[in-house]
Each structure stands twice: as structure tokens, then as C-alpha cells.
Amino acid sequence: MAKFTIFHSLVINFIIFSISTFHANIVNGIFCEEVTDAIAIKREEKTTHLHFYFHDIVGGQKPSVVKIAGPSNSSSAYGFGATMMMDDALTEGPEISSKLVGRAQGIYGIAAQEDVSLLMVMNFAFTEGSYNGSSISILGRNPVFNDVREMPIVGGSGVFRLARGYALAHTIRFDYKTGDATVEYHVYVSHYGAEL
Ligand SMILES: *[C@@H]1O[C@H](CO)[C@@H](O)[C@H](O)[C@H]1NC(C)=O
Ligand SMILES: *[C@@H]1O[C@H](CO)[C@@H](O)[C@H](O)[C@H]1NC(C)=O
């Protein structure tokens, strides 16, 4: 019984000490610490395949893209330097009227002088089901007239925390008059499915 009591009080002391140490760290402010196993991410990595359509509406009454910067008279026939901000719908089917699953928000710019190759810096912000509120960040090169373009996933949030992977883009419709495009995306993303 005595042994048990000593052991018991040691455990309690240890817990109190741990809590006060943790508390002290917060109170004093710490720049950096190695997290304990208890709060480190231990979930298994999984890979998710996402399939959706991206609608880049350049013309008409309600464009989803605006030009935000660029030279007034580009030195290149391909519009080198033109930079756009987009808030494009992502839908389940190829028609823009089909179910909305998220939005592609970000910037693209014509980054090549000899062809139409874009620098894409964008977030896919999802709104559908368990992906609602989670996002994937893309940073890549997009030579738009290639059949399939591959862009790296550089991170994510929510269920896509610590994401990595790639996105494959394939244009299914392009209107040469307005510049509107519909692009099919297959996204392969490895992530941990963190609960928020
Ligand atoms: C724009 O650039 C082209 C070719 O470089 C030139 O011929 C033209 O005069 C320029 N236009 C203006 C308004 O500067
Ligand atoms: C997504 O989450 C937002 C904020 O929590 C909520 O207002 C919205 O209704 C949700 N959308 C769907 C499709 O569940």
C-alpha cells in the first residue's frame, strides 16, 4: 500500500510538473520546440484521386478572371508578362451548371516569350462534403496548348494537410473568340486526412 502511494504521488508530481513546464513554455514564449509524439502527426498517409472541371471565364458579362498586371505593349506576340487573377468554378461535370465542388483561386501569368506557357500559383478551395474548407496549393508550369500539363502540389490545408502530389490538366474546350476555357483536372494527392 505504501509503495503504491509513493508511486501514485510520483505519477501525480510528474503530471503536475509536465503541465507547469508546458504552461511555463507558453507563458515565457518559445520560438521553436520539437513536439512530443503525443501531438505529432501519426496518421497513415493516403492518396486521393480528385476529378473535376475548371472553368476559366475571360469574356462576357461575368468574367471569373481579371488582368491585374502586364506590359501595355508586350515585346512578345504571346503576351509575355500578362498577369491575371482568377476565381474559377470547379465543377463535378464538364458543364459549368453542374455541381460546384470548389473554386480555383490564384494568379496565372504568361511566363514564356516563345510560346504560351503560364506560371500557375493557385489554391483549389473545396466546398464539397468532407473536403469543404480544405485546400490544395499548386505551383507549376502550364504550357496551355499541350494536351496534358502536369503541375506539382506543393501543400494543402485541412484534410490535405502536408499534401504533395500532382495535378494533370487537359483542356476540353477553348473559345478562341472570348478566351474562355474548360479544363479537366485529375489530381493525385498524398495527405494525412488531419481532423480539424
Ligand atoms: C508595340 O510594339 C510593336 C512591336 O514591338 C510596335 O510595332 C508598336 O509600334 C508598339 N505600339 C505602341 C503603342 O507602342
Ligand atoms: C461548407 O462549409 C461552410 C462553412 O462551414 C458552410 O456554410 C457551407 O454550407 C458548407 N458547404 C457545403 C456544401 O457543405
mmCIF file of all heavy atoms in Angstrom, residues 94-137:
data_model
loop_
_atom_site.group_PDB
_atom_site.id
_atom_site.type_symbol
_atom_site.label_atom_id
_atom_site.label_comp_id
_atom_site.label_asym_id
_atom_site.label_seq_id
_atom_site.Cartn_x
_atom_site.Cartn_y
_atom_site.Cartn_z
ATOM 1 N N PRO A 94 -18.521 18.402 -66.796
ATOM 2 C CA PRO A 94 -17.923 19.351 -67.738
ATOM 3 C C PRO A 94 -18.733 20.636 -67.967
ATOM 4 O O PRO A 94 -18.184 21.608 -68.482
ATOM 5 C CB PRO A 94 -17.801 18.544 -69.029
ATOM 6 C CG PRO A 94 -18.703 17.382 -68.885
ATOM 7 C CD PRO A 94 -18.871 17.117 -67.426
ATOM 8 N N GLU A 95 -20.012 20.635 -67.591
ATOM 9 C CA GLU A 95 -20.817 21.851 -67.765
ATOM 10 C C GLU A 95 -20.698 22.719 -66.518
ATOM 11 O O GLU A 95 -20.713 22.204 -65.397
ATOM 12 C CB GLU A 95 -22.296 21.489 -67.998
ATOM 13 C CG GLU A 95 -22.542 20.631 -69.222
ATOM 14 C CD GLU A 95 -21.922 21.182 -70.505
ATOM 15 O OE1 GLU A 95 -21.921 22.428 -70.683
ATOM 16 O OE2 GLU A 95 -21.420 20.387 -71.318
ATOM 17 N N ILE A 96 -20.639 24.037 -66.736
ATOM 18 C CA ILE A 96 -20.494 24.954 -65.594
ATOM 19 C C ILE A 96 -21.720 24.916 -64.682
ATOM 20 O O ILE A 96 -21.643 25.252 -63.501
ATOM 21 C CB ILE A 96 -20.159 26.390 -66.074
ATOM 22 C CG1 ILE A 96 -19.596 27.215 -64.910
ATOM 23 C CG2 ILE A 96 -21.348 27.057 -66.747
ATOM 24 C CD1 ILE A 96 -18.882 28.475 -65.301
ATOM 25 N N SER A 97 -22.845 24.466 -65.254
ATOM 26 C CA SER A 97 -24.084 24.349 -64.470
ATOM 27 C C SER A 97 -24.101 23.108 -63.576
ATOM 28 O O SER A 97 -24.988 22.942 -62.754
ATOM 29 C CB SER A 97 -25.271 24.314 -65.426
ATOM 30 O OG SER A 97 -25.074 23.267 -66.365
ATOM 31 N N SER A 98 -23.112 22.220 -63.742
ATOM 32 C CA SER A 98 -23.105 21.007 -62.908
ATOM 33 C C SER A 98 -22.650 21.362 -61.487
ATOM 34 O O SER A 98 -22.243 22.490 -61.216
ATOM 35 C CB SER A 98 -22.234 19.920 -63.544
ATOM 36 O OG SER A 98 -20.870 20.192 -63.363
ATOM 37 N N LYS A 99 -22.720 20.411 -60.609
ATOM 38 C CA LYS A 99 -22.468 20.638 -59.177
ATOM 39 C C LYS A 99 -21.105 21.275 -58.886
ATOM 40 O O LYS A 99 -20.068 20.778 -59.341
ATOM 41 C CB LYS A 99 -22.562 19.298 -58.456
ATOM 42 C CG LYS A 99 -22.532 19.412 -56.951
ATOM 43 C CD LYS A 99 -22.705 18.037 -56.352
ATOM 44 C CE LYS A 99 -22.781 18.090 -54.850
ATOM 45 N NZ LYS A 99 -22.919 16.720 -54.319
ATOM 46 N N LEU A 100 -21.139 22.372 -58.117
ATOM 47 C CA LEU A 100 -19.913 23.072 -57.732
ATOM 48 C C LEU A 100 -19.205 22.277 -56.628
ATOM 49 O O LEU A 100 -19.831 21.920 -55.633
ATOM 50 C CB LEU A 100 -20.287 24.474 -57.220
ATOM 51 C CG LEU A 100 -19.144 25.433 -56.947
ATOM 52 C CD1 LEU A 100 -18.565 25.989 -58.256
ATOM 53 C CD2 LEU A 100 -19.607 26.597 -56.070
ATOM 54 N N VAL A 101 -17.914 22.006 -56.805
ATOM 55 C CA VAL A 101 -17.175 21.288 -55.753
ATOM 56 C C VAL A 101 -16.109 22.172 -55.095
ATOM 57 O O VAL A 101 -15.558 21.823 -54.054
ATOM 58 C CB VAL A 101 -16.531 19.979 -56.270
ATOM 59 C CG1 VAL A 101 -17.611 18.997 -56.724
ATOM 60 C CG2 VAL A 101 -15.538 20.227 -57.402
ATOM 61 N N GLY A 102 -15.835 23.316 -55.715
ATOM 62 C CA GLY A 102 -14.843 24.220 -55.142
ATOM 63 C C GLY A 102 -14.508 25.331 -56.105
ATOM 64 O O GLY A 102 -15.200 25.522 -57.121
ATOM 65 N N ARG A 103 -13.441 26.085 -55.772
ATOM 66 C CA ARG A 103 -13.019 27.175 -56.651
ATOM 67 C C ARG A 103 -11.499 27.143 -56.774
ATOM 68 O O ARG A 103 -10.807 26.772 -55.819
ATOM 69 C CB ARG A 103 -13.464 28.538 -56.090
ATOM 70 C CG ARG A 103 -14.964 28.614 -55.799
ATOM 71 C CD ARG A 103 -15.460 30.038 -55.731
ATOM 72 N NE ARG A 103 -15.477 30.674 -57.039
ATOM 73 C CZ ARG A 103 -16.491 30.591 -57.906
ATOM 74 N NH1 ARG A 103 -17.594 29.929 -57.614
ATOM 75 N NH2 ARG A 103 -16.417 31.199 -59.080
ATOM 76 N N ALA A 104 -11.028 27.553 -57.964
ATOM 77 C CA ALA A 104 -9.588 27.702 -58.177
ATOM 78 C C ALA A 104 -9.299 29.189 -58.020
ATOM 79 O O ALA A 104 -9.752 29.994 -58.824
ATOM 80 C CB ALA A 104 -9.205 27.222 -59.563
ATOM 81 N N GLN A 105 -8.604 29.530 -56.953
ATOM 82 C CA GLN A 105 -8.325 30.944 -56.677
ATOM 83 C C GLN A 105 -6.830 31.180 -56.739
ATOM 84 O O GLN A 105 -6.065 30.460 -56.089
ATOM 85 C CB GLN A 105 -8.879 31.314 -55.296
ATOM 86 C CG GLN A 105 -10.394 31.134 -55.238
ATOM 87 C CD GLN A 105 -10.969 31.306 -53.854
ATOM 88 O OE1 GLN A 105 -10.303 31.068 -52.858
ATOM 89 N NE2 GLN A 105 -12.234 31.697 -53.799
ATOM 90 N N GLY A 106 -6.421 32.180 -57.502
ATOM 91 C CA GLY A 106 -4.993 32.451 -57.578
ATOM 92 C C GLY A 106 -4.615 33.276 -58.782
ATOM 93 O O GLY A 106 -5.442 33.965 -59.372
ATOM 94 N N ILE A 107 -3.349 33.157 -59.135
ATOM 95 C CA ILE A 107 -2.764 34.005 -60.169
ATOM 96 C C ILE A 107 -2.158 33.135 -61.260
ATOM 97 O O ILE A 107 -1.572 32.091 -60.957
ATOM 98 C CB ILE A 107 -1.643 34.889 -59.544
ATOM 99 C CG1 ILE A 107 -2.244 35.871 -58.532
ATOM 100 C CG2 ILE A 107 -0.852 35.632 -60.616
ATOM 101 C CD1 ILE A 107 -1.199 36.637 -57.739
ATOM 102 N N TYR A 108 -2.342 33.555 -62.500
ATOM 103 C CA TYR A 108 -1.521 32.967 -63.552
ATOM 104 C C TYR A 108 -0.982 34.077 -64.442
ATOM 105 O O TYR A 108 -1.602 35.127 -64.589
ATOM 106 C CB TYR A 108 -2.247 31.875 -64.343
ATOM 107 C CG TYR A 108 -3.476 32.256 -65.136
ATOM 108 C CD1 TYR A 108 -3.368 32.828 -66.398
ATOM 109 C CD2 TYR A 108 -4.748 31.997 -64.638
ATOM 110 C CE1 TYR A 108 -4.499 33.136 -67.143
ATOM 111 C CE2 TYR A 108 -5.885 32.298 -65.376
ATOM 112 C CZ TYR A 108 -5.759 32.877 -66.625
ATOM 113 O OH TYR A 108 -6.868 33.181 -67.352
ATOM 114 N N GLY A 109 0.194 33.844 -64.975
ATOM 115 C CA GLY A 109 0.832 34.846 -65.823
ATOM 116 C C GLY A 109 1.535 34.170 -66.978
ATOM 117 O O GLY A 109 1.956 33.005 -66.870
ATOM 118 N N ILE A 110 1.640 34.896 -68.093
ATOM 119 C CA ILE A 110 2.350 34.348 -69.257
ATOM 120 C C ILE A 110 3.847 34.521 -68.989
ATOM 121 O O ILE A 110 4.357 35.642 -68.943
ATOM 122 C CB ILE A 110 1.890 35.027 -70.563
ATOM 123 C CG1 ILE A 110 0.373 34.793 -70.737
ATOM 124 C CG2 ILE A 110 2.679 34.501 -71.763
ATOM 125 C CD1 ILE A 110 -0.253 35.495 -71.921
ATOM 126 N N ALA A 111 4.501 33.387 -68.779
ATOM 127 C CA ALA A 111 5.879 33.404 -68.296
ATOM 128 C C ALA A 111 6.888 32.997 -69.370
ATOM 129 O O ALA A 111 8.051 32.764 -69.068
ATOM 130 C CB ALA A 111 6.003 32.489 -67.080
ATOM 131 N N ALA A 112 6.431 32.869 -70.621
ATOM 132 C CA ALA A 112 7.329 32.458 -71.699
ATOM 133 C C ALA A 112 7.252 33.455 -72.846
ATOM 134 O O ALA A 112 6.199 34.035 -73.102
ATOM 135 C CB ALA A 112 6.942 31.068 -72.197
ATOM 136 N N GLN A 113 8.368 33.658 -73.540
ATOM 137 C CA GLN A 113 8.405 34.606 -74.665
ATOM 138 C C GLN A 113 8.185 33.927 -76.003
ATOM 139 O O GLN A 113 7.806 34.563 -76.973
ATOM 140 C CB GLN A 113 9.748 35.346 -74.675
ATOM 141 C CG GLN A 113 9.856 36.338 -73.536
ATOM 142 C CD GLN A 113 11.186 37.060 -73.550
ATOM 143 O OE1 GLN A 113 12.217 36.496 -73.199
ATOM 144 N NE2 GLN A 113 11.166 38.310 -73.979
ATOM 145 N N GLU A 114 8.425 32.594 -76.040
ATOM 146 C CA GLU A 114 8.377 31.884 -77.317
ATOM 147 C C GLU A 114 7.178 30.951 -77.467
ATOM 148 O O GLU A 114 7.042 30.266 -78.461
ATOM 149 C CB GLU A 114 9.678 31.087 -77.521
ATOM 150 C CG GLU A 114 10.953 31.922 -77.451
ATOM 151 C CD GLU A 114 11.033 33.014 -78.534
ATOM 152 O OE1 GLU A 114 10.434 32.833 -79.606
ATOM 153 O OE2 GLU A 114 11.683 34.045 -78.281
ATOM 154 N N ASP A 115 6.353 30.834 -76.421
ATOM 155 C CA ASP A 115 5.131 30.034 -76.539
ATOM 156 C C ASP A 115 4.153 30.520 -75.473
ATOM 157 O O ASP A 115 4.466 31.453 -74.735
ATOM 158 C CB ASP A 115 5.420 28.529 -76.393
ATOM 159 C CG ASP A 115 5.982 28.157 -75.045
ATOM 160 O OD1 ASP A 115 5.235 28.218 -74.049
ATOM 161 O OD2 ASP A 115 7.186 27.817 -74.975
ATOM 162 N N VAL A 116 2.969 29.900 -75.413
ATOM 163 C CA VAL A 116 2.009 30.316 -74.386
ATOM 164 C C VAL A 116 2.136 29.358 -73.206
ATOM 165 O O VAL A 116 1.485 28.323 -73.142
ATOM 166 C CB VAL A 116 0.562 30.355 -74.916
ATOM 167 C CG1 VAL A 116 -0.363 30.952 -73.864
ATOM 168 C CG2 VAL A 116 0.480 31.169 -76.192
ATOM 169 N N SER A 117 3.035 29.707 -72.322
ATOM 170 C CA SER A 117 3.278 28.891 -71.153
ATOM 171 C C SER A 117 3.047 29.746 -69.917
ATOM 172 O O SER A 117 3.605 30.839 -69.802
ATOM 173 C CB SER A 117 4.711 28.374 -71.204
ATOM 174 O OG SER A 117 4.907 27.453 -70.170
ATOM 175 N N LEU A 118 2.186 29.243 -69.034
ATOM 176 C CA LEU A 118 1.800 30.030 -67.875
ATOM 177 C C LEU A 118 2.538 29.578 -66.617
ATOM 178 O O LEU A 118 2.859 28.400 -66.470
ATOM 179 C CB LEU A 118 0.294 29.892 -67.614
ATOM 180 C CG LEU A 118 -0.660 30.169 -68.775
ATOM 181 C CD1 LEU A 118 -2.103 29.941 -68.316
ATOM 182 C CD2 LEU A 118 -0.489 31.589 -69.279
ATOM 183 N N LEU A 119 2.737 30.521 -65.722
ATOM 184 C CA LEU A 119 3.118 30.196 -64.346
ATOM 185 C C LEU A 119 1.804 30.197 -63.575
ATOM 186 O O LEU A 119 1.072 31.191 -63.591
ATOM 187 C CB LEU A 119 4.050 31.277 -63.771
ATOM 188 C CG LEU A 119 4.170 31.271 -62.235
ATOM 189 C CD1 LEU A 119 4.918 30.052 -61.733
ATOM 190 C CD2 LEU A 119 4.853 32.544 -61.744
ATOM 191 N N MET A 120 1.470 29.066 -62.939
ATOM 192 C CA MET A 120 0.235 28.965 -62.159
ATOM 193 C C MET A 120 0.584 28.987 -60.666
ATOM 194 O O MET A 120 1.434 28.205 -60.213
ATOM 195 C CB MET A 120 -0.481 27.638 -62.438
ATOM 196 C CG MET A 120 -0.710 27.288 -63.895
ATOM 197 S SD MET A 120 -1.945 28.292 -64.730
ATOM 198 C CE MET A 120 -3.469 27.766 -63.941
ATOM 199 N N VAL A 121 -0.061 29.857 -59.930
ATOM 200 C CA VAL A 121 0.081 29.889 -58.464
ATOM 201 C C VAL A 121 -1.341 29.953 -57.929
ATOM 202 O O VAL A 121 -1.974 31.006 -57.961
ATOM 203 C CB VAL A 121 0.876 31.129 -57.980
ATOM 204 C CG1 VAL A 121 1.083 31.069 -56.475
ATOM 205 C CG2 VAL A 121 2.213 31.244 -58.701
ATOM 206 N N MET A 122 -1.873 28.803 -57.512
ATOM 207 C CA MET A 122 -3.300 28.803 -57.154
ATOM 208 C C MET A 122 -3.628 27.809 -56.052
ATOM 209 O O MET A 122 -2.897 26.852 -55.802
ATOM 210 C CB MET A 122 -4.151 28.505 -58.382
ATOM 211 C CG MET A 122 -3.928 27.130 -58.969
ATOM 212 S SD MET A 122 -5.038 26.835 -60.374
ATOM 213 C CE MET A 122 -4.316 25.350 -61.051
ATOM 214 N N ASN A 123 -4.764 28.096 -55.430
ATOM 215 C CA ASN A 123 -5.308 27.182 -54.435
ATOM 216 C C ASN A 123 -6.609 26.610 -54.974
ATOM 217 O O ASN A 123 -7.436 27.348 -55.499
ATOM 218 C CB ASN A 123 -5.608 27.929 -53.130
ATOM 219 C CG ASN A 123 -4.336 28.440 -52.484
ATOM 220 O OD1 ASN A 123 -3.373 27.705 -52.339
ATOM 221 N ND2 ASN A 123 -4.326 29.711 -52.114
ATOM 222 N N PHE A 124 -6.775 25.306 -54.833
ATOM 223 C CA PHE A 124 -8.082 24.703 -55.069
ATOM 224 C C PHE A 124 -8.766 24.695 -53.700
ATOM 225 O O PHE A 124 -8.329 23.978 -52.789
ATOM 226 C CB PHE A 124 -7.952 23.264 -55.585
ATOM 227 C CG PHE A 124 -7.421 23.149 -56.991
ATOM 228 C CD1 PHE A 124 -6.636 22.068 -57.364
ATOM 229 C CD2 PHE A 124 -7.741 24.094 -57.957
ATOM 230 C CE1 PHE A 124 -6.150 21.939 -58.667
ATOM 231 C CE2 PHE A 124 -7.267 23.973 -59.272
ATOM 232 C CZ PHE A 124 -6.474 22.898 -59.618
ATOM 233 N N ALA A 125 -9.786 25.529 -53.559
ATOM 234 C CA ALA A 125 -10.507 25.631 -52.285
ATOM 235 C C ALA A 125 -11.796 24.831 -52.423
ATOM 236 O O ALA A 125 -12.703 25.233 -53.158
ATOM 237 C CB ALA A 125 -10.804 27.088 -51.980
ATOM 238 N N PHE A 126 -11.868 23.687 -51.746
ATOM 239 C CA PHE A 126 -13.008 22.793 -51.922
ATOM 240 C C PHE A 126 -14.160 23.130 -50.994
ATOM 241 O O PHE A 126 -13.953 23.616 -49.872
ATOM 242 C CB PHE A 126 -12.569 21.333 -51.737
ATOM 243 C CG PHE A 126 -11.568 20.907 -52.769
ATOM 244 C CD1 PHE A 126 -10.216 20.849 -52.465
ATOM 245 C CD2 PHE A 126 -11.981 20.626 -54.067
ATOM 246 C CE1 PHE A 126 -9.280 20.492 -53.431
ATOM 247 C CE2 PHE A 126 -11.050 20.267 -55.038
ATOM 248 C CZ PHE A 126 -9.708 20.202 -54.718
ATOM 249 N N THR A 127 -15.381 22.865 -51.471
ATOM 250 C CA THR A 127 -16.586 23.151 -50.688
ATOM 251 C C THR A 127 -17.471 21.914 -50.548
ATOM 252 O O THR A 127 -18.508 21.973 -49.902
ATOM 253 C CB THR A 127 -17.410 24.272 -51.352
ATOM 254 O OG1 THR A 127 -17.592 23.966 -52.740
ATOM 255 C CG2 THR A 127 -16.710 25.619 -51.235
ATOM 256 N N GLU A 128 -17.060 20.821 -51.149
ATOM 257 C CA GLU A 128 -17.936 19.654 -51.213
ATOM 258 C C GLU A 128 -17.655 18.630 -50.098
ATOM 259 O O GLU A 128 -16.509 18.248 -49.869
ATOM 260 C CB GLU A 128 -17.776 18.994 -52.595
ATOM 261 C CG GLU A 128 -18.552 17.727 -52.804
ATOM 262 C CD GLU A 128 -20.050 17.844 -52.531
ATOM 263 O OE1 GLU A 128 -20.598 18.955 -52.574
ATOM 264 O OE2 GLU A 128 -20.675 16.810 -52.239
ATOM 265 N N GLY A 129 -18.725 18.200 -49.439
ATOM 266 C CA GLY A 129 -18.679 17.098 -48.466
ATOM 267 C C GLY A 129 -17.582 17.243 -47.432
ATOM 268 O O GLY A 129 -17.408 18.307 -46.833
ATOM 269 N N SER A 130 -16.825 16.160 -47.226
ATOM 270 C CA SER A 130 -15.784 16.173 -46.189
ATOM 271 C C SER A 130 -14.582 17.026 -46.595
ATOM 272 O O SER A 130 -13.688 17.260 -45.793
ATOM 273 C CB SER A 130 -15.341 14.743 -45.886
ATOM 274 O OG SER A 130 -14.903 14.123 -47.068
ATOM 275 N N TYR A 131 -14.567 17.473 -47.851
ATOM 276 C CA TYR A 131 -13.460 18.327 -48.312
ATOM 277 C C TYR A 131 -13.773 19.810 -48.132
ATOM 278 O O TYR A 131 -12.923 20.662 -48.390
ATOM 279 C CB TYR A 131 -13.139 18.039 -49.785
ATOM 280 C CG TYR A 131 -12.725 16.596 -49.997
ATOM 281 C CD1 TYR A 131 -13.564 15.693 -50.619
ATOM 282 C CD2 TYR A 131 -11.503 16.154 -49.520
ATOM 283 C CE1 TYR A 131 -13.194 14.365 -50.773
ATOM 284 C CE2 TYR A 131 -11.121 14.831 -49.656
ATOM 285 C CZ TYR A 131 -11.973 13.949 -50.284
ATOM 286 O OH TYR A 131 -11.588 12.646 -50.427
ATOM 287 N N ASN A 132 -15.004 20.109 -47.697
ATOM 288 C CA ASN A 132 -15.416 21.506 -47.510
ATOM 289 C C ASN A 132 -14.457 22.205 -46.537
ATOM 290 O O ASN A 132 -14.259 21.738 -45.416
ATOM 291 C CB ASN A 132 -16.851 21.533 -46.946
ATOM 292 C CG ASN A 132 -17.436 22.933 -46.944
ATOM 293 O OD1 ASN A 132 -16.854 23.867 -47.483
ATOM 294 N ND2 ASN A 132 -18.595 23.076 -46.319
ATOM 295 N N GLY A 133 -13.857 23.309 -46.972
ATOM 296 C CA GLY A 133 -12.947 24.070 -46.114
ATOM 297 C C GLY A 133 -11.490 23.661 -46.267
ATOM 298 O O GLY A 133 -10.601 24.318 -45.731
ATOM 299 N N SER A 134 -11.230 22.579 -46.996
ATOM 300 C CA SER A 134 -9.854 22.135 -47.189
ATOM 301 C C SER A 134 -9.341 22.633 -48.537
ATOM 302 O O SER A 134 -10.128 22.872 -49.454
ATOM 303 C CB SER A 134 -9.783 20.607 -47.153
ATOM 304 O OG SER A 134 -10.159 20.131 -45.878
ATOM 305 N N SER A 135 -8.025 22.790 -48.639
ATOM 306 C CA SER A 135 -7.478 23.298 -49.902
ATOM 307 C C SER A 135 -6.174 22.605 -50.288
ATOM 308 O O SER A 135 -5.498 21.999 -49.459
ATOM 309 C CB SER A 135 -7.264 24.811 -49.805
ATOM 310 O OG SER A 135 -6.253 25.092 -48.861
ATOM 311 N N ILE A 136 -5.878 22.737 -51.573
ATOM 312 C CA ILE A 136 -4.634 22.212 -52.154
ATOM 313 C C ILE A 136 -3.938 23.373 -52.845
ATOM 314 O O ILE A 136 -4.585 24.144 -53.557
ATOM 315 C CB ILE A 136 -4.959 21.103 -53.193
ATOM 316 C CG1 ILE A 136 -5.441 19.831 -52.491
ATOM 317 C CG2 ILE A 136 -3.757 20.808 -54.080
ATOM 318 C CD1 ILE A 136 -5.895 18.750 -53.463
ATOM 319 N N SER A 137 -2.639 23.510 -52.627
ATOM 320 C CA SER A 137 -1.876 24.589 -53.259
ATOM 321 C C SER A 137 -1.020 24.043 -54.398
ATOM 322 O O SER A 137 -0.288 23.066 -54.229
ATOM 323 C CB SER A 137 -0.981 25.278 -52.233
ATOM 324 O OG SER A 137 -1.779 25.831 -51.211
#
